[in-house]
Amino acid sequence: MDVKEIREIIRKELVEGILQTQDFYVVGNWKMYKNKHEVISFLDKVISHDFKEKNHIVIIPPFSYLYLFEERLRYSKIEYGVQNLYPKDEGAYTGEISYRQALDFGARYAIVGHSERRNIFNEDNSLLSEKVSACIKNNIKPIFCIGEDLNKRQNNDYHDFLISQIREGLSLVSGKDLQRVIIAYEPIWAIGTGVNATPAQVEETHMFIRNFLIQEYGDETGKVIPILYGGSVKPANVLELALADGVSGFLIGGASLDADSFIEINNKLN
Ligand code: PEP
């Protein structure tokens, strides 16, 4: 069976609802934005919103505001996480935050390998694989980011690159543990640029990643790992992107900073 045929089968299964990645994720990455006052007013606004039962609503604030999330979201459906973590329990790692410290504040997710960490802070797949593994061991869901730059996209040279990011990044995790990983496909050229990947590009790439996951890790695991899309998602484009085959949710930067826009995105997915 060639790749095209396999893809066709997956597409059919998806459409018929047989292929279940079940949960849908709406994740806001706040990066290094907001002050205390802004965090409180955002949380006051979203706390009473009636989010769709089935969707996971996750916000990833800067570390310094985790305590506000713990204080204010105790009875809320909204979950939260951290943007980065060091893969050691504790120790002389000035400037880093450990898994234990994140868990202490109720964080349940961690972004691993965001392109800003890879490119600005030189994090490589070897370090990232340790981070993914430490997340899994500590019961934190890693949102493992992958994505090509514009050059690779324009040269149609991104497939092998994405495969190597996944292979290397997940190399320390095996068996059923792999089912606890979330992948976020974030083409670098779409992050913070206002230019999102088209639904056709998202669909092609997500199906390619799904296909690879199934071939590499088998049906049981490959079919259930959620694949989120990230890159200039906003209220105006979220619905058409959600309709692309193989999208299990979104990782959203800029449009997650404003409570009204975050709520609008979620309303469109209801
Ligand atoms: C991100 O930072 O992960 C992201 C997708 O940002 P934006 O939505 O602003 O493109």
Side-chain angles (χ1 to χ4, degrees), residues 29 31 114 116 186 190-193 230-233 251-255:
N29 171 17
K31 312 193 187 198
H114 191 283
E116 287 150 17
E186 297 210 305
I191 297 179
T193 60
S232 297
V233 175
L251 181 53
I252 307 164

mmCIF file with all atom_site columns, all heavy atoms in Angstrom, residues 29 31 114 116 186 190-193 230-233 251-255, ligand 1:
data_model
loop_
_atom_site.group_PDB
_atom_site.id
_atom_site.type_symbol
_atom_site.label_atom_id
_atom_site.label_alt_id
_atom_site.label_comp_id
_atom_site.label_asym_id
_atom_site.label_entity_id
_atom_site.label_seq_id
_atom_site.pdbx_PDB_ins_code
_atom_site.Cartn_x
_atom_site.Cartn_y
_atom_site.Cartn_z
_atom_site.occupancy
_atom_site.B_iso_or_equiv
_atom_site.pdbx_formal_charge
_atom_site.auth_seq_id
_atom_site.auth_comp_id
_atom_site.auth_asym_id
_atom_site.auth_atom_id
_atom_site.pdbx_PDB_model_num
ATOM   1   N N   . ASN A 1 29  ? -0.880 30.276 24.573 1.00 0.00 ? 29  ASN A N   1
ATOM   2   C CA  . ASN A 1 29  ? 0.511  30.467 25.007 1.00 0.00 ? 29  ASN A CA  1
ATOM   3   C C   . ASN A 1 29  ? 0.748  31.961 25.181 1.00 0.00 ? 29  ASN A C   1
ATOM   4   O O   . ASN A 1 29  ? 0.805  32.703 24.204 1.00 0.00 ? 29  ASN A O   1
ATOM   5   C CB  . ASN A 1 29  ? 1.451  29.887 23.938 1.00 0.00 ? 29  ASN A CB  1
ATOM   6   C CG  . ASN A 1 29  ? 2.907  30.236 24.204 1.00 0.00 ? 29  ASN A CG  1
ATOM   7   O OD1 . ASN A 1 29  ? 3.275  30.630 25.312 1.00 0.00 ? 29  ASN A OD1 1
ATOM   8   N ND2 . ASN A 1 29  ? 3.742  30.098 23.181 1.00 0.00 ? 29  ASN A ND2 1
ATOM   9   N N   . LYS A 1 31  ? 3.393  33.456 26.303 1.00 0.00 ? 31  LYS A N   1
ATOM   10  C CA  . LYS A 1 31  ? 4.802  33.881 26.151 1.00 0.00 ? 31  LYS A CA  1
ATOM   11  C C   . LYS A 1 31  ? 5.180  34.818 27.305 1.00 0.00 ? 31  LYS A C   1
ATOM   12  O O   . LYS A 1 31  ? 4.763  34.593 28.424 1.00 0.00 ? 31  LYS A O   1
ATOM   13  C CB  . LYS A 1 31  ? 5.012  34.548 24.789 1.00 0.00 ? 31  LYS A CB  1
ATOM   14  C CG  . LYS A 1 31  ? 4.423  33.723 23.654 1.00 0.00 ? 31  LYS A CG  1
ATOM   15  C CD  . LYS A 1 31  ? 4.874  34.189 22.311 1.00 0.00 ? 31  LYS A CD  1
ATOM   16  C CE  . LYS A 1 31  ? 4.116  33.428 21.239 1.00 0.00 ? 31  LYS A CE  1
ATOM   17  N NZ  . LYS A 1 31  ? 4.737  33.484 19.951 1.00 0.00 ? 31  LYS A NZ  1
ATOM   18  N N   . HIS A 1 114 ? 9.119  24.801 21.806 1.00 0.00 ? 114 HIS A N   1
ATOM   19  C CA  . HIS A 1 114 ? 8.576  25.901 20.997 1.00 0.00 ? 114 HIS A CA  1
ATOM   20  C C   . HIS A 1 114 ? 9.718  26.463 20.143 1.00 0.00 ? 114 HIS A C   1
ATOM   21  O O   . HIS A 1 114 ? 10.870 26.507 20.586 1.00 0.00 ? 114 HIS A O   1
ATOM   22  C CB  . HIS A 1 114 ? 8.002  26.986 21.921 1.00 0.00 ? 114 HIS A CB  1
ATOM   23  C CG  . HIS A 1 114 ? 7.204  28.011 21.182 1.00 0.00 ? 114 HIS A CG  1
ATOM   24  N ND1 . HIS A 1 114 ? 7.797  29.016 20.448 1.00 0.00 ? 114 HIS A ND1 1
ATOM   25  C CD2 . HIS A 1 114 ? 5.864  28.182 21.054 1.00 0.00 ? 114 HIS A CD2 1
ATOM   26  C CE1 . HIS A 1 114 ? 6.850  29.761 19.892 1.00 0.00 ? 114 HIS A CE1 1
ATOM   27  N NE2 . HIS A 1 114 ? 5.665  29.279 20.246 1.00 0.00 ? 114 HIS A NE2 1
ATOM   28  N N   . GLU A 1 116 ? 10.627 29.306 19.534 1.00 0.00 ? 116 GLU A N   1
ATOM   29  C CA  . GLU A 1 116 ? 11.383 30.389 20.187 1.00 0.00 ? 116 GLU A CA  1
ATOM   30  C C   . GLU A 1 116 ? 12.428 29.818 21.149 1.00 0.00 ? 116 GLU A C   1
ATOM   31  O O   . GLU A 1 116 ? 13.517 30.365 21.296 1.00 0.00 ? 116 GLU A O   1
ATOM   32  C CB  . GLU A 1 116 ? 10.401 31.342 20.898 1.00 0.00 ? 116 GLU A CB  1
ATOM   33  C CG  . GLU A 1 116 ? 9.644  32.187 19.886 1.00 0.00 ? 116 GLU A CG  1
ATOM   34  C CD  . GLU A 1 116 ? 8.244  32.607 20.317 1.00 0.00 ? 116 GLU A CD  1
ATOM   35  O OE1 . GLU A 1 116 ? 7.934  32.543 21.523 1.00 0.00 ? 116 GLU A OE1 1
ATOM   36  O OE2 . GLU A 1 116 ? 7.453  32.986 19.424 1.00 0.00 ? 116 GLU A OE2 1
ATOM   37  N N   . GLU A 1 186 ? 3.670  23.628 14.379 1.00 0.00 ? 186 GLU A N   1
ATOM   38  C CA  . GLU A 1 186 ? 3.717  25.084 14.303 1.00 0.00 ? 186 GLU A CA  1
ATOM   39  C C   . GLU A 1 186 ? 4.761  25.513 13.261 1.00 0.00 ? 186 GLU A C   1
ATOM   40  O O   . GLU A 1 186 ? 5.950  25.642 13.593 1.00 0.00 ? 186 GLU A O   1
ATOM   41  C CB  . GLU A 1 186 ? 4.117  25.675 15.647 1.00 0.00 ? 186 GLU A CB  1
ATOM   42  C CG  . GLU A 1 186 ? 3.136  25.396 16.765 1.00 0.00 ? 186 GLU A CG  1
ATOM   43  C CD  . GLU A 1 186 ? 3.148  26.531 17.781 1.00 0.00 ? 186 GLU A CD  1
ATOM   44  O OE1 . GLU A 1 186 ? 4.222  26.860 18.303 1.00 0.00 ? 186 GLU A OE1 1
ATOM   45  O OE2 . GLU A 1 186 ? 2.086  27.105 18.018 1.00 0.00 ? 186 GLU A OE2 1
ATOM   46  N N   . ALA A 1 190 ? 4.583  30.857 10.240 1.00 0.00 ? 190 ALA A N   1
ATOM   47  C CA  . ALA A 1 190 ? 3.204  31.271 10.558 1.00 0.00 ? 190 ALA A CA  1
ATOM   48  C C   . ALA A 1 190 ? 3.077  31.809 11.983 1.00 0.00 ? 190 ALA A C   1
ATOM   49  O O   . ALA A 1 190 ? 2.038  32.354 12.352 1.00 0.00 ? 190 ALA A O   1
ATOM   50  C CB  . ALA A 1 190 ? 2.251  30.084 10.363 1.00 0.00 ? 190 ALA A CB  1
ATOM   51  N N   . ILE A 1 191 ? 4.130  31.664 12.781 1.00 0.00 ? 191 ILE A N   1
ATOM   52  C CA  . ILE A 1 191 ? 4.036  32.073 14.186 1.00 0.00 ? 191 ILE A CA  1
ATOM   53  C C   . ILE A 1 191 ? 4.227  33.583 14.318 1.00 0.00 ? 191 ILE A C   1
ATOM   54  O O   . ILE A 1 191 ? 5.276  34.118 13.968 1.00 0.00 ? 191 ILE A O   1
ATOM   55  C CB  . ILE A 1 191 ? 5.086  31.332 15.054 1.00 0.00 ? 191 ILE A CB  1
ATOM   56  C CG1 . ILE A 1 191 ? 4.814  29.834 15.023 1.00 0.00 ? 191 ILE A CG1 1
ATOM   57  C CG2 . ILE A 1 191 ? 5.062  31.862 16.476 1.00 0.00 ? 191 ILE A CG2 1
ATOM   58  C CD1 . ILE A 1 191 ? 5.808  29.029 15.836 1.00 0.00 ? 191 ILE A CD1 1
ATOM   59  N N   . GLY A 1 192 ? 3.179  34.225 14.820 1.00 0.00 ? 192 GLY A N   1
ATOM   60  C CA  . GLY A 1 192 ? 3.258  35.662 15.088 1.00 0.00 ? 192 GLY A CA  1
ATOM   61  C C   . GLY A 1 192 ? 3.373  36.524 13.848 1.00 0.00 ? 192 GLY A C   1
ATOM   62  O O   . GLY A 1 192 ? 3.674  37.713 13.937 1.00 0.00 ? 192 GLY A O   1
ATOM   63  N N   . THR A 1 193 ? 3.120  35.966 12.680 1.00 0.00 ? 193 THR A N   1
ATOM   64  C CA  . THR A 1 193 ? 3.290  36.728 11.438 1.00 0.00 ? 193 THR A CA  1
ATOM   65  C C   . THR A 1 193 ? 1.963  37.240 10.891 1.00 0.00 ? 193 THR A C   1
ATOM   66  O O   . THR A 1 193 ? 1.947  38.083 9.999  1.00 0.00 ? 193 THR A O   1
ATOM   67  C CB  . THR A 1 193 ? 3.924  35.842 10.343 1.00 0.00 ? 193 THR A CB  1
ATOM   68  O OG1 . THR A 1 193 ? 3.046  34.716 10.117 1.00 0.00 ? 193 THR A OG1 1
ATOM   69  C CG2 . THR A 1 193 ? 5.292  35.351 10.736 1.00 0.00 ? 193 THR A CG2 1
ATOM   70  N N   . GLY A 1 230 ? -0.607 25.350 15.256 1.00 0.00 ? 230 GLY A N   1
ATOM   71  C CA  . GLY A 1 230 ? -0.339 26.681 15.791 1.00 0.00 ? 230 GLY A CA  1
ATOM   72  C C   . GLY A 1 230 ? 0.302  27.559 14.746 1.00 0.00 ? 230 GLY A C   1
ATOM   73  O O   . GLY A 1 230 ? 1.150  27.109 13.964 1.00 0.00 ? 230 GLY A O   1
ATOM   74  N N   . GLY A 1 231 ? -0.088 28.822 14.731 1.00 0.00 ? 231 GLY A N   1
ATOM   75  C CA  . GLY A 1 231 ? 0.481  29.784 13.786 1.00 0.00 ? 231 GLY A CA  1
ATOM   76  C C   . GLY A 1 231 ? -0.580 30.745 13.307 1.00 0.00 ? 231 GLY A C   1
ATOM   77  O O   . GLY A 1 231 ? -1.345 30.410 12.406 1.00 0.00 ? 231 GLY A O   1
ATOM   78  N N   . SER A 1 232 ? -0.665 31.917 13.974 1.00 0.00 ? 232 SER A N   1
ATOM   79  C CA  . SER A 1 232 ? -1.594 32.983 13.575 1.00 0.00 ? 232 SER A CA  1
ATOM   80  C C   . SER A 1 232 ? -3.059 32.537 13.547 1.00 0.00 ? 232 SER A C   1
ATOM   81  O O   . SER A 1 232 ? -3.829 32.960 12.679 1.00 0.00 ? 232 SER A O   1
ATOM   82  C CB  . SER A 1 232 ? -1.179 33.570 12.216 1.00 0.00 ? 232 SER A CB  1
ATOM   83  O OG  . SER A 1 232 ? 0.100  34.169 12.332 1.00 0.00 ? 232 SER A OG  1
ATOM   84  N N   . VAL A 1 233 ? -3.429 31.690 14.513 1.00 0.00 ? 233 VAL A N   1
ATOM   85  C CA  . VAL A 1 233 ? -4.847 31.327 14.657 1.00 0.00 ? 233 VAL A CA  1
ATOM   86  C C   . VAL A 1 233 ? -5.564 32.490 15.332 1.00 0.00 ? 233 VAL A C   1
ATOM   87  O O   . VAL A 1 233 ? -5.057 33.077 16.285 1.00 0.00 ? 233 VAL A O   1
ATOM   88  C CB  . VAL A 1 233 ? -4.999 30.046 15.508 1.00 0.00 ? 233 VAL A CB  1
ATOM   89  C CG1 . VAL A 1 233 ? -6.472 29.749 15.769 1.00 0.00 ? 233 VAL A CG1 1
ATOM   90  C CG2 . VAL A 1 233 ? -4.326 28.868 14.821 1.00 0.00 ? 233 VAL A CG2 1
ATOM   91  N N   . LEU A 1 251 ? -2.749 25.609 19.214 1.00 0.00 ? 251 LEU A N   1
ATOM   92  C CA  . LEU A 1 251 ? -1.862 26.318 20.137 1.00 0.00 ? 251 LEU A CA  1
ATOM   93  C C   . LEU A 1 251 ? -1.858 27.763 19.640 1.00 0.00 ? 251 LEU A C   1
ATOM   94  O O   . LEU A 1 251 ? -1.481 28.030 18.498 1.00 0.00 ? 251 LEU A O   1
ATOM   95  C CB  . LEU A 1 251 ? -0.465 25.697 20.108 1.00 0.00 ? 251 LEU A CB  1
ATOM   96  C CG  . LEU A 1 251 ? 0.600  26.302 21.026 1.00 0.00 ? 251 LEU A CG  1
ATOM   97  C CD1 . LEU A 1 251 ? 0.129  26.376 22.475 1.00 0.00 ? 251 LEU A CD1 1
ATOM   98  C CD2 . LEU A 1 251 ? 1.886  25.453 20.977 1.00 0.00 ? 251 LEU A CD2 1
ATOM   99  N N   . ILE A 1 252 ? -2.303 28.656 20.513 1.00 0.00 ? 252 ILE A N   1
ATOM   100 C CA  . ILE A 1 252 ? -2.571 30.029 20.065 1.00 0.00 ? 252 ILE A CA  1
ATOM   101 C C   . ILE A 1 252 ? -1.757 31.024 20.876 1.00 0.00 ? 252 ILE A C   1
ATOM   102 O O   . ILE A 1 252 ? -1.829 31.022 22.113 1.00 0.00 ? 252 ILE A O   1
ATOM   103 C CB  . ILE A 1 252 ? -4.083 30.345 20.243 1.00 0.00 ? 252 ILE A CB  1
ATOM   104 C CG1 . ILE A 1 252 ? -4.929 29.266 19.561 1.00 0.00 ? 252 ILE A CG1 1
ATOM   105 C CG2 . ILE A 1 252 ? -4.415 31.725 19.685 1.00 0.00 ? 252 ILE A CG2 1
ATOM   106 C CD1 . ILE A 1 252 ? -6.381 29.266 19.995 1.00 0.00 ? 252 ILE A CD1 1
ATOM   107 N N   . GLY A 1 253 ? -0.992 31.859 20.189 1.00 0.00 ? 253 GLY A N   1
ATOM   108 C CA  . GLY A 1 253 ? -0.209 32.884 20.876 1.00 0.00 ? 253 GLY A CA  1
ATOM   109 C C   . GLY A 1 253 ? -1.000 34.173 20.999 1.00 0.00 ? 253 GLY A C   1
ATOM   110 O O   . GLY A 1 253 ? -1.855 34.329 21.868 1.00 0.00 ? 253 GLY A O   1
ATOM   111 N N   . GLY A 1 254 ? -0.746 35.108 20.091 1.00 0.00 ? 254 GLY A N   1
ATOM   112 C CA  . GLY A 1 254 ? -1.314 36.459 20.152 1.00 0.00 ? 254 GLY A CA  1
ATOM   113 C C   . GLY A 1 254 ? -2.809 36.513 20.469 1.00 0.00 ? 254 GLY A C   1
ATOM   114 O O   . GLY A 1 254 ? -3.233 37.282 21.335 1.00 0.00 ? 254 GLY A O   1
ATOM   115 N N   . ALA A 1 255 ? -3.610 35.692 19.789 1.00 0.00 ? 255 ALA A N   1
ATOM   116 C CA  . ALA A 1 255 ? -5.062 35.793 19.954 1.00 0.00 ? 255 ALA A CA  1
ATOM   117 C C   . ALA A 1 255 ? -5.554 35.202 21.274 1.00 0.00 ? 255 ALA A C   1
ATOM   118 O O   . ALA A 1 255 ? -6.748 35.271 21.586 1.00 0.00 ? 255 ALA A O   1
ATOM   119 C CB  . ALA A 1 255 ? -5.766 35.112 18.777 1.00 0.00 ? 255 ALA A CB  1
HETATM 120 C C1  . PEP B 2 .   ? 2.761  30.386 19.333 1.00 0.00 ? 1   PEP B C1  1
HETATM 121 O O1  . PEP B 2 .   ? 3.490  31.190 19.887 1.00 0.00 ? 1   PEP B O1  1
HETATM 122 O O2  . PEP B 2 .   ? 2.796  29.194 19.647 1.00 0.00 ? 1   PEP B O2  1
HETATM 123 C C2  . PEP B 2 .   ? 1.854  30.881 18.297 1.00 0.00 ? 1   PEP B C2  1
HETATM 124 C C3  . PEP B 2 .   ? 1.228  30.008 17.558 1.00 0.00 ? 1   PEP B C3  1
HETATM 125 O O3  . PEP B 2 .   ? 1.745  32.246 18.181 1.00 0.00 ? 1   PEP B O3  1
HETATM 126 P P1  . PEP B 2 .   ? 0.682  33.037 17.252 1.00 0.00 ? 1   PEP B P1  1
HETATM 127 O O4  . PEP B 2 .   ? -0.673 32.414 17.477 1.00 0.00 ? 1   PEP B O4  1
HETATM 128 O O5  . PEP B 2 .   ? 0.746  34.440 17.750 1.00 0.00 ? 1   PEP B O5  1
HETATM 129 O O6  . PEP B 2 .   ? 1.120  32.881 15.848 1.00 0.00 ? 1   PEP B O6  1
#
